Amino acid sequence: MNYAEPAWAADLFGAEQAVLVQKRLGQALVDMQENARAAQDQGDVDTNHPYGWTRWPGSYTQVARQFEDVEGATVFKPDGFPFKLVHLGCGLLYPFRFSTEDTPVRSAKLPSVGPFIRELFTFAPEPPQPTLFEGTEYGPEAIEVRPRLASLPADTQLVLVPYACNPHGLLKPYWGVAALVDDEGTLEWVTPPEPLPLPATSTRRRLSAVPPQASEVQHASFDSGEQPVPQLFARPEAEEKREVPPMTEPDPIKPLAHEDDDN
């Protein structure tokens, strides 16, 4: 399969950076999948919950990690957003899972269209039928973009990174530019969604064995410490001669007043 960088990517990131973005997005998704599968294996349960709980935040985390050391890239988390975003060149990257099966990417839909998604799609092309959004809460004029997003350059373009996966494998990762058609998450692709190359190995190791545990002799018990040495004092010789009994406890203090007294 030909993984040459598409023309639209070269326009957004530059010819050299487009190749780097393409490779690092593929690596991020492989790392996400490997970590999510490790969580599922270690969870040892009958449901796919460990996989899902790790995969969802993992896609954003791994993309952010891949671009933390890239010159010119900005990794940031807008106020109130549940995940980090990456801005590089003129591109704003947004990964999302569109299916758990081997389905055509052209039919990909966003899982949901909430406030975060609406704000992100202010950086996407206008939908082919903008009348669907006129006068609704999805219209561009009704969306208030958070300051950190609003401060991005005016030529910023949202780049979607849709992928299909399940606990058994990462099926179809793509990237491209699309418009949001309706509040059901339907997409209209402005550029053909291009497949992403996937590396053969992950850069993040899975947990394959339980780390060595400390033996019992390495843990101190409550009675294994040194015993305290009590301090002993000899009685004065004068008290012994007068046979004064030793004082073990101080005499109780007699109160000078009582709470029932008139005063």
Side-chain angles (χ1 to χ4, degrees):
M1 185 176 292
N2 183 15
Y3 290 110
E5 69 280 359
W8 61 263
D11 292 339
L12 290 179
F13 303 106
E16 295 183 1
Q17 289 285 68
V19 177
L20 180 143
V21 174
Q22 187 181 45
K23 291 181 178 179
R24 298 217 174 190
L25 284 175
Q27 185 67 68
L29 294 180
V30 168
D31 293 347
M32 170 213 70
Q33 175 71 7
E34 190 73 0
N35 286 351
R37 289 181 59 189
Q40 183 67 37
D41 292 345
Q42 295 298 323
D44 192 21
V45 294
D46 295 332
T47 69
N48 291 335
H49 291 163
Y51 175 84
W53 292 330
T54 307
R55 178 207 59 80
W56 183 81
S59 60
Y60 308 109
T61 300
Q62 298 302 335
V63 169
R65 284 176 175 170
Q66 284 295 323
F67 289 90
E68 286 176 342
D69 61 345
V70 174
E71 183 177 358
T74 301
V75 179
F76 65 101
K77 184 178 181 182
D79 293 341
F81 261 54
F83 46 78
K84 292 181 179 180
L85 297 172
V86 175
H87 178 266
L88 176 61
C90 297
L92 179 63
L93 305 177
Y94 175 63
F96 69 96
R97 183 172 74 170
F98 71 91
S99 178
T100 60
E101 300 176 353
D102 189 2
T103 56
V105 69
R106 287 282 187 175
S107 61
K109 284 189 175 184
L110 295 169
S112 63
V113 180
F116 305 132
I117 300 302
R118 288 180 234 157
E119 291 182 48
L120 291 179
F121 271 85
T122 60
F123 298 97
E126 291 291 331
Q129 300 181 38
T131 54
L132 293 177
F133 291 94
E134 290 181 359
T136 71
E137 60 179 336
Y138 299 100
E141 69 284 350
I143 299 175
E144 183 179 355
V145 180
R146 290 154 219 255
R148 189 65 185 85
L149 282 174
S151 65
L152 293 176
D155 58 354
T156 297
Q157 181 75 71
L158 181 66
V159 177
L160 302 181
V161 187
Y163 60 92
C165 70
N166 57 51
H168 304 291
L170 179 60
L171 305 176
K172 286 188 173 182
Y174 294 87
W175 64 331
V177 177
L180 180 61
V181 175
D182 53 35
D183 59 359
E184 298 296 326
T186 305
L187 299 172
E188 181 72 24
W189 291 97
V190 177
T191 67
E194 302 283 347
L196 285 170
L198 297 179
T201 59
S202 168
T203 59
R204 313 196 67 79
R205 291 185 178 180
R206 296 177 57 185
L207 180 63
S208 58
V210 178
Q213 303 297 303
S215 61
E216 293 182 1
V217 295
Q218 293 176 285
H219 295 284
S221 61
F222 76 96
D223 60 348
S224 63
E226 296 182 0
Q227 297 295 327
V229 179
Q231 295 183 352
L232 303 177
F233 301 94
R235 295 180 63 202
E237 185 178 354
E239 291 186 1
E240 292 184 358
K241 289 182 178 180
R242 289 182 296 168
E243 297 183 354
V244 176
M247 185 180 67
T248 57
E249 296 182 359
D251 294 333
I253 300 176
K254 295 182 179 180
L256 300 179
H258 193 272
E259 63 180 355
D260 293 330
D261 292 345
D262 294 337
N263 295 329

